[in-house]
Amino acid sequence: MSSPSPAESFPHPHDGVLFYAVKNASSRYFLASTDNFFNGLRVEYVMVDGGCNTVLLPLAPEQIDELHNRFPLPHLWTIKTGRGVAALQSPVLLVTGAVHLTIRQGAKEFTRDLPFIRFHLSLSTVQQLVDNHRGRL
């Protein structure tokens, strides 16, 4: 049994609306909100892939210390390779444990508890993780 897509995971309390998003040319959905929080970690730009059942979030090297504070033990951190159809798979940080998501769009707020989240890792972010947070990996 497959997991529901992110769009199916955020039921809106009114009118059957899940959340508002803008579809781009790659059939991905950009959330029409910059008030997106994962355990209090603000992620301004969230893109949801309609064919995927997880959300892949950006993570800058300067956010790692805050990430450490927002996702302390018993959250588990694991560096993995991304999955999908791309020829080159980029590294991702998988954070497992209870994750509370809040999306605000205008006066409406959507909340959901997720079992895990994934962050895209650039080379500099991987280096920062390895140099300063090796004990978490």
Side-chain angles (χ1 to χ4, degrees):
M1 182 174 179
S2 66
S3 299
S5 73
E8 294 168 341
S9 297
F10 304 105
H12 188 279
H14 305 290
D15 307 320
V17 174
L18 300 174
F19 56 76
Y20 300 99
V22 177
K23 185 176 181 180
N24 71 8
S26 300
S27 294
R28 291 186 175 104
Y29 298 88
F30 179 71
L31 293 187
S33 169
T34 57
D35 278 341
N36 310 302
F37 297 89
F38 297 81
N39 275 27
L41 177 71
R42 185 179 184 152
V43 180
E44 291 184 350
Y45 306 106
V46 176
M47 187 79 67
V48 178
D49 186 335
C52 183
N53 61 7
T54 64
V55 177
L56 184 60
L57 304 171
L59 181 65
E62 58 272 10
Q63 290 179 292
I64 293 174
D65 287 337
E66 183 179 1
L67 185 77
H68 181 78
N69 293 331
R70 300 287 181 179
F71 297 94
L73 291 172
H75 289 94
L76 299 178
W77 294 14
T78 309
I79 294 179
K80 303 183 89 151
T81 56
R83 293 189 278 171
V85 297
L88 297 174
Q89 301 298 323
S90 62
V92 297
L93 176 66
L94 175 67
V95 177
T96 56
V99 178
H100 184 73
L101 167 62
T102 302
I103 298 172
R104 293 188 188 106
Q105 291 183 330
K108 298 178 181 174
E109 183 173 286
F110 309 88
T111 61
R112 180 77 176 184
D113 289 320
L114 305 173
F116 64 90
I117 55 173
R118 299 179 318 136
F119 293 94
H120 172 268
L121 298 177
S122 66
L123 181 58
S124 60
T125 306
V126 170
Q127 192 63 52
Q128 174 85 359
L129 280 166
V130 170
D131 290 347
N132 299 318
H133 296 279
R134 184 180 302 272
R136 287 301 309 266
L137 302 174

